[in-house]
Amino acid sequence: MRFRPDRRPSKWGATAAVVDQQSAEAVVEYLAALKGTPFDGVIRLSDLTEIKGYRYVLLQVNLDFGHPHFPRIADTLDEIGGSEFQLIVVETPEGSVYLIVDKHNLPDEEMRPDHPLLRRLADWLGPALSAVS
């Protein structure tokens, strides 16, 4: 599976990466296999939901402290408050799947999709995923 970084705006959070010609289920399976990804745990928090041709799944992911890219994000994780966060997997009708760092990772008073902490996490995640796919 070939991820590439993506910074497309989203109302749900900060877009990190995209993979073309895949399904949401295939991406979730790939991430859950933990082979070379920056995760050491992936928990599915929702069933697959379809609205207007878009398919969504919410995941809780835990970052792997031993991953070679981990040191680059450690300071941001301290600010966010931990190494786990929610990730939205969104499949478009055209067959692209986007990974979005959910704005609900932030406290209510700071919850907005363009928050700098979300952007830094997404800017790290996109390249970390593309380096191993």
Side-chain angles (χ1 to χ4, degrees):
M1 193 162 297
R2 201 112 182 90
F3 290 93
R4 61 182 196 290
D6 195 291
R7 295 186 58 141
R8 189 171 316 246
S10 169
K11 64 182 180 182
W12 300 296
T15 305
V18 62
V19 60
D20 295 318
Q21 304 306 310
Q22 291 292 331
S23 68
E25 295 96 333
V27 171
V28 170
E29 277 184 39
Y30 176 83
L31 296 175
L34 306 175
K35 294 181 183 170
T37 68
F39 308 129
D40 72 359
V42 174
I43 300 168
R44 194 174 178 149
L45 296 178
S46 74
D47 291 329
L48 185 68
T49 304
E50 185 168 341
I51 302 170
K52 296 182 181 177
Y54 290 83
R55 302 168 81 223
Y56 307 88
V57 175
L58 181 62
L59 303 177
Q60 178 84 29
V61 297
N62 299 338
L63 293 178
D64 178 0
F65 297 138
H67 190 274
H69 288 189
F70 185 82
R72 296 182 208 156
I73 198 64
D75 291 341
T76 298
L77 294 174
D78 283 343
E79 289 182 62
I80 290 176
S83 64
E84 65 180 40
F85 57 93
Q86 291 181 358
L87 192 62
I88 305 168
V89 177
V90 181
E91 179 184 334
T92 67
E94 298 80 30
S96 295
V97 178
Y98 291 88
L99 301 181
I100 300 169
V101 179
D102 190 356
K103 68 182 178 184
H104 288 91
N105 290 299
L106 299 170
D108 288 345
E109 63 274 4
E110 296 183 40
M111 195 184 308
R112 60 181 210 270
D114 63 343
H115 194 285
L117 287 174
L118 290 183
R119 186 71 263 154
R120 287 196 318 238
L121 187 53
D123 288 349
W124 170 84
L125 182 58
L129 284 167
S130 67
V132 297
S133 36

